[in-house]
Amino acid sequence: MRIVSGIQTTGNLHLGNYLGAIRQWVAMQDTLQPGDDCLFFLADLHALTVHQDPKALAAATIELAATLMAAGIDTDRSILFNQARVPAHSELSWILGGTARVGWLNRMTQWKDKAGKNREGASVGLFTYPVLQAADVLVYQATHVPVGEDQKQHLELARDIATKFNTDFGVELFPLPEPIIPAEAPRIMSLRDGSAKMSKSDPSDMSRINLIDDDDAIASKIRKAKTDPEPLPDTMDALADRAEARNLVTIYAALDGRTRDAVLSEFAGQGFGAFKPRLADLAVAKLGPIRDRLTRLLDDRAEVAARLRKGADKAQALAAPTLRAAQDAVGLQVD
Ligand code: TYM
């Protein structure tokens, strides 16, 4: 297995990132077999597709690396690095740009959402973003990519690009990467609006729980989360039309490592007045230790930076043969 995934360096990690992606990264790292590799990277190049304050971007890269370490990524077992330090990502992205079709990119929902009505004014990078994402995984011949559900379409595109490249150039270079999406927490929604995903770009900080939030902030955000006056039912099916309630049950189950049905069988018949304090206690118990480790790691940013540099050296060595094979396949002279 070659496990690869990334996260954008735009602001703090939130509970959606943690439950949708990072927790799976840690679980996969912890069950690694000899000969398997885990590569996790900070997608700083992807962050550039919308304007970033340079100082804030540099700081966010270190802070995000520290957050991943605090959440359980062990740099002795996983390769943790920032994308910009491994030029093979960008180089392969350019090559794959000859394979990907404009029509494929036009169908990406994230492009449609982010560009909105102002496509002419969106950056070129925002449009070609999924090609770089394909390169991110294909450059390591990734077999498994743990992500939240919102990244599934980008992964399908990576598979289409891989298939077309292999066919067009008559090679068997890229295996098709498999998205690994957590069954019980595929998409964590905003605490203020059950129809929108929890996101760093939501203007309301009350919509998300950040991994850096203190205990009071966590509890208060849960207490003020939007809900409805009905008691909880005993099956998930009965929550089909209650998006906010479904979201809080999903968060509870994911944090507690239980199925949503198991959580409902415990709380059936109870209202949110009883459920929310229990959820707040659980969230504080699970997230508090991560925040405390993060605070300690941020006391030594130079050490975090040094570990990223080491990770990048390892990643570059793993990427080089595949990049070289892709260059050979398309006929580039690079010696
Ligand atoms: P990003 O930075 O938006 O999110 C990082 C990871 O967190 C997951 N996630 C969520 N999961 C559940 N509920 C949510 N509300 C939620 N919000 C975010 C995402 O699915 C993702 O797994 N394009 C990617 C970064 C990337 C990447 C890659 C990922 C760049 N190259 C190669 C995988 C492989 C992104 O913007 O994720």
Side-chain angles (χ1 to χ4, degrees):
M1 278 167 88
R2 181 64 69 80
I3 298 151
V4 178
S5 200
I7 182 160
Q8 281 200 67
T9 50
T10 42
N12 288 321
L13 273 189
H14 56 70
L15 190 62
N17 301 131
Y18 180 62
L19 296 177
I22 315 306
R23 229 171 41 142
Q24 293 200 91
W25 298 7
V26 174
M28 292 176 100
Q29 161 198 277
D30 289 349
T31 53
L32 218 55
Q33 301 297 315
D36 294 345
D37 299 294
C38 273
L39 294 108
F40 301 120
F41 62 92
L42 309 159
D44 45 8
L45 295 175
H46 278 98
L48 296 181
T49 56
V50 291
H51 178 76
Q52 303 291 335
D53 172 70
K55 282 205 179 76
L57 178 64
T61 304
I62 296 298
E63 284 158 19
L64 215 53
T67 315
L68 294 177
M69 292 175 197
I73 298 298
D74 171 358
T75 52
D76 290 329
R77 285 181 290 157
S78 290
I79 301 176
L80 180 68
F81 60 102
N82 61 304
Q83 193 185 26
R85 275 220 181 88
V86 183
H89 291 237
S90 316
E91 293 179 57
L92 183 63
S93 174
W94 185 260
I95 294 174
L96 297 180
T99 299
R101 308 286 93 186
V102 169
W104 299 355
L105 297 181
N106 260 328
R107 282 195 287 279
M108 294 295 111
T109 50
Q110 189 168 305
W111 156 248
K112 290 191 233 173
D113 288 350
K114 288 205 174 165
K117 292 208 171 63
N118 183 23
R119 285 194 180 191
E120 296 292 309
S123 74
V124 173
L126 195 64
F127 185 64
T128 58
Y129 175 116
V131 183
L132 177 59
Q133 183 157 346
D136 293 335
V137 297
L138 298 179
V139 81
Y140 300 106
Q141 303 192 327
T143 56
H144 297 79
V145 183
V147 283
E149 196 181 42
D150 62 334
Q151 295 302 318
K152 194 170 169 213
Q153 195 187 32
H154 286 159
L155 262 294
E156 279 159 6
L157 183 90
R159 292 166 64 95
D160 290 344
I161 294 175
T163 305
K164 182 164 164 55
F165 185 96
N166 288 343
T167 309
D168 287 356
F169 296 102
V171 290
E172 284 182 34
L173 180 56
F174 299 124
L176 301 189
E178 199 66 54
I180 308 288
I181 298 169
E184 289 289 326
R187 190 180 283 252
I188 301 297
M189 310 309 281
S190 154
L191 298 179
R192 309 300 304 166
D193 173 1
S195 67
K197 73 172 180 179
M198 187 176 283
S199 157
K200 291 171 198 165
S201 52
D202 192 314
S204 166
D205 195 55
M206 294 304 282
S207 71
R208 64 185 158 261
I209 294 175
N210 304 300
L211 295 195
I212 194 80
D213 281 347
D214 63 27
D215 292 351
D216 287 346
I218 297 173
S220 138
K221 286 176 180 182
I222 291 174
R223 221 172 27 246
K224 293 186 181 145
K226 194 173 161 207
T227 43
D228 58 43
E230 302 295 317
L232 284 164
D234 55 4
T235 65
M236 279 306 283
D237 289 346
L239 284 181
D241 298 326
R242 295 171 62 190
E244 283 84 13
R246 200 169 60 236
N247 189 39
L248 292 189
V249 171
T250 298
I251 292 174
Y252 194 110
L255 282 173
D256 210 25
R258 286 200 274 165
T259 64
R260 287 175 284 188
D261 282 332
V263 172
L264 283 178
S265 66
E266 182 184 339
F267 287 99
Q270 299 186 39
F272 285 97
F275 183 78
K276 279 182 169 177
R278 293 280 303 279
L279 176 57
D281 287 348
L282 177 65
V284 165
K286 296 286 178 179
L287 302 179
I290 297 178
R291 180 202 53 235
D292 295 345
R293 279 195 293 275
L294 169 60
T295 313
R296 281 198 297 278
L297 282 162
L298 287 177
D299 285 342
D300 193 353
R301 288 173 183 245
E303 167 63 18
V304 175
R307 289 207 231 167
L308 281 185
R309 244 180 251 116
K310 271 196 201 143
D313 289 344
K314 291 187 208 162
Q316 182 68 22
L318 288 179
T322 308
L323 175 63
R324 183 60 210 237
Q327 290 165 331
D328 285 345
V330 300
L332 292 175
Q333 309 272 321
V334 288
D335 282 336

